[in-house]
């Protein structure tokens, strides 16, 4: 390699051609000819007419493309503009995602750009007729078809965290949909469907991380990770995004070990996901290597298989395997686990915020505690009182009597404290009565 230093980035560029045909074979051939340090995304996926090919190209900050010499060393002698010209000659257009005035904007000259603008303006007069024709076609649809065109499709969400059952009541009201809640050790799972984001409640240190698996169709699923201490920032990950990314040059053909490793790392880590995982790992436990393998291209040692990648990513955050099975099994989750069946799966229905808050109060302090804190003294006391209603009632009556005595015989702040004791005791007695009635 050259002994000079330079900064390198991986640019996600697109390639297309006028006829809308599959440009990936020709793109691979051209990049191979120049021995560009690059890869093609979705290399073997079915092609849709008119789509673009996405390529990853390693380049420096001054728009110089990284290439391999005949000896297997890295060179910086090819400019992006030269590569664009080569694509133009082959009947394709390369659109690199880089800045700079030296990057071709797609026009041969300023005169050609002005001519195209004039044609565009001239076409405006006739565009109204085209819109009318389109409107006529839309008029041929019935109301149901028109509404279906604009309907938002709900996403199935599986949210893993250390939160207690109260989060299920909150999500049910927030999304206006039923929420399934189940626990496994200190982890819990909430399953629901929604068209709205649900990140309005950032996790506390004891509750985090919150890992939301958003299930669409298996190929476009994504995972959002929220951790305490990062200002509520949500970090998205797409386990299938780089799955079918193929290096243009066969790594096994590279004889220089250092060059081979640089090529592999640029393609596997160029999207910055490893850095994001490392930042998360500074706050919550996560196996960065295992999580990154679930995001890396299969051709570069990544986990093989769409569902296996999702499982591996979640497992890297120490999410229990049984909860992962429940999340991926969908509506049949209770019968589809390959592990011991989880008990306690319950469904919470939306009832309105007032009723929901009331149910949360009746549910008690224990439902609001993060699961890792259930074995603290306050969690144990809450469970003991819940299991012994007579003892809880006796304590509430004693609290009420102490409050009444305080308001009668004390003054100042102590009298206010007595009023608070009365309010708390009356609330506890009402809650106990409601629990007894529901039993």
């Amino acid at each position: 390699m050259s002994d000079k230093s330079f900064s390198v980035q991986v640019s996600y560029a697109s390639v297309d051609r006028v006829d809308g045909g599959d440009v990936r074979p020709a793109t691979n051939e051209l990049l191979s000819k120049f021995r560009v340090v690059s890869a093609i995304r979705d290399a073997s996926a079915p092609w849709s007419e008119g789509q673009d090919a996405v390529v990853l190209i390693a380049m420096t900050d001054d728009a110089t493309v990284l290439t391999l010499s005949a000896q297997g060393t890295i060179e910086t002698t090819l400019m992006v503009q030269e590569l664009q010209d080569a694509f133009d000659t082959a009947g394709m257009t390369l659109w690199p995602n880089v800045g700079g005035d030296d990057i071709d904007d797609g026009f041969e000259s300023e005169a050609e750009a002005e001519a195209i603008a004039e044609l565009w303006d001239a076409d405006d007069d006739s565009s109204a007729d085209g819109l009318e024709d389109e409107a006529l076609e839309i008029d041929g649809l019935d109301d149901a078809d028109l509404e279906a065109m604009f309907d938002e499709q709900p996403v199935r969400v599986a949210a893993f965290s250390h939160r207690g059952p109260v989060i299920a009541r909150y999500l049910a009201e927030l999304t206006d949909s039923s929420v399934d809640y189940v626990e496994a050790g200190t982890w819990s799972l909430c399953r629901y469907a929604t068209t709205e984001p649900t990140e309005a409640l950032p996790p506390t240190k004891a509750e985090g991380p919150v890992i939301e698996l958003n299930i669409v169709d298996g190929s476009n699923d994504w995972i959002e990770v929220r951790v305490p201490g990062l200002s509520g920032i949500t970090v998205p990950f797409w386990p299938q995004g780089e799955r079918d990314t193929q290096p243009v040059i066969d790594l096994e053909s590279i004889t220089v070990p250092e060059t081979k490793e640089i090529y592999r790392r640029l393609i596997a880590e160029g999207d910055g996901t490893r850095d994001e995982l490392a930042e998360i790992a500074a706050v919550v436990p996560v196996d960065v290597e295992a999580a990154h393998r679930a995001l890396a291209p299969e051709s570069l040692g990544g986990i093989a298989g769409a569902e296996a990648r999702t499982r591996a990513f979640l497992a890297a955050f120490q999410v229990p395997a049984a909860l992962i099975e429940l999340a991926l099994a969908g509506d049949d989750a209770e019968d589809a686990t390959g592990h011991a069946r989880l008990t306690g799966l319950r469904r919470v229905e939306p009832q309105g915020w007032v009723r929901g808050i009331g149910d949360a109060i009746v549910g008690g302090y224990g439902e609001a505690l993060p699961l890792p804190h259930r074995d603290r003294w306050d969690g144990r006391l809450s469970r003991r009182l819940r299991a012994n209603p007579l003892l809880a009632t006796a304590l509430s009556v004693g609290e009420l009597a102490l409050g009444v005595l305080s308001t009668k015989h004390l003054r100042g702040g102590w009298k206010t404290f007595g009023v608070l004791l009365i309010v708390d005791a009356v609330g506890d007695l009402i809650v106990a009565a409601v629990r007894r009635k529901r039993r």
Side-chain angles (χ1 to χ4, degrees), residues 193-410:
T194 182
T195 58
E196 302 293 333
T198 56
E199 56 184 37
L201 196 64
T204 64
K205 184 176 181 180
E207 294 172 337
V210 175
I211 306 168
E212 292 185 354
L213 169 61
N214 297 269
I215 303 172
V216 182
D217 59 7
S219 61
N220 294 317
D221 299 350
W222 77 96
I223 297 172
E224 296 180 355
V225 178
R226 275 177 287 153
V227 298
L230 290 183
S231 303
I233 296 175
T234 299
V235 184
F237 296 94
W238 285 266
Q240 317 312 328
E242 302 294 345
R243 178 187 173 194
D244 193 24
T245 296
Q246 298 284 345
V248 168
I249 301 174
D250 182 10
L251 267 66
E252 296 306 318
S253 68
I254 302 175
T255 58
V256 180
E258 294 82 2
T259 301
K260 181 178 178 179
E261 179 61 15
I262 290 173
Y263 196 141
R264 187 196 67 79
R265 291 189 61 182
L266 280 171
I267 302 305
E269 303 177 21
D271 59 359
T273 53
R274 179 184 286 276
D275 295 335
E276 292 174 324
L277 288 168
E279 185 178 4
I280 291 173
V283 183
V284 297
V286 55
D287 186 337
V288 174
E289 290 297 327
H292 189 259
R293 279 195 65 216
L295 303 173
E298 291 184 4
S299 60
L300 299 178
I303 301 292
E307 190 170 294
R309 293 167 71 86
T310 299
R311 292 175 187 272
F313 186 87
L314 296 173
F317 282 84
Q318 303 179 5
V319 177
L323 291 186
I324 298 175
E325 293 287 348
L326 286 170
L328 295 176
D331 294 335
D332 299 325
E334 295 86 344
D335 303 317
T337 67
H339 307 268
R341 179 181 300 210
L342 289 175
T343 58
L345 181 67
R346 53 171 151 170
R347 175 160 293 180
V348 178
E349 301 289 349
Q351 305 175 82
W353 283 105
V354 174
R355 177 74 181 274
I357 293 172
D359 285 346
I361 294 174
V362 173
Y365 177 72
E367 284 198 356
L369 270 178
L371 301 187
H373 287 179
R374 281 189 171 174
D375 289 331
R376 291 192 324 188
W377 68 269
D378 50 345
R380 294 196 302 270
L381 178 60
S382 175
R383 289 197 303 274
R384 190 167 299 174
L385 293 176
R386 186 72 184 266
N388 193 335
L390 291 179
L391 175 60
T393 301
L395 289 176
S396 297
V397 171
E399 184 181 15
L400 178 61
L402 180 60
V404 171
L405 290 174
S406 298
T407 56
K408 285 186 176 181
H409 301 288
L410 300 177

Side-chain angles (χ1 to χ4, degrees), residues 54-70:
V54 177
V55 296
L56 286 66
I57 300 176
M59 61 181 66
T60 64
D61 289 340
D62 61 353
T64 302
V65 178
L66 269 62
T67 58
L68 298 187
S69 68

Side-chain angles (χ1 to χ4, degrees), residues 71-94:
Q71 293 75 33
T73 57
I74 293 179
E75 296 183 326
T76 55
T77 57
L78 178 65
M79 299 300 297
V80 172
Q81 186 64 63
E82 296 177 63
L83 191 59
Q84 284 187 288
D85 292 341
F87 271 88
D88 289 340
T89 302
M92 299 177 290
T93 304
L94 173 69

Side-chain angles (χ1 to χ4, degrees), residues 93-133:
T93 304
L94 173 69
W95 305 93
N97 184 23
V98 294
D101 297 334
D102 56 338
I103 304 303
D104 186 8
D105 60 6
F107 300 123
E108 295 293 333
S109 65
E110 183 177 350
E112 182 179 348
E114 292 176 355
I116 291 176
E118 290 177 2
L119 289 173
W120 183 272
D121 292 337
D123 190 55
D124 285 346
D125 295 335
S126 59
S127 61
D129 295 334
L131 290 174
E132 290 176 2
D133 293 339

Side-chain angles (χ1 to χ4, degrees), residues 13-36:
S14 63
V15 181
D16 59 23
R17 66 186 183 197
V18 175
D19 63 8
D22 189 349
V23 297
R24 291 173 297 182
T27 297
N28 188 82
E29 182 179 351
L30 189 56
L31 292 173
S32 297
K33 175 184 175 182
F34 285 94
R35 294 182 60 79
V36 176

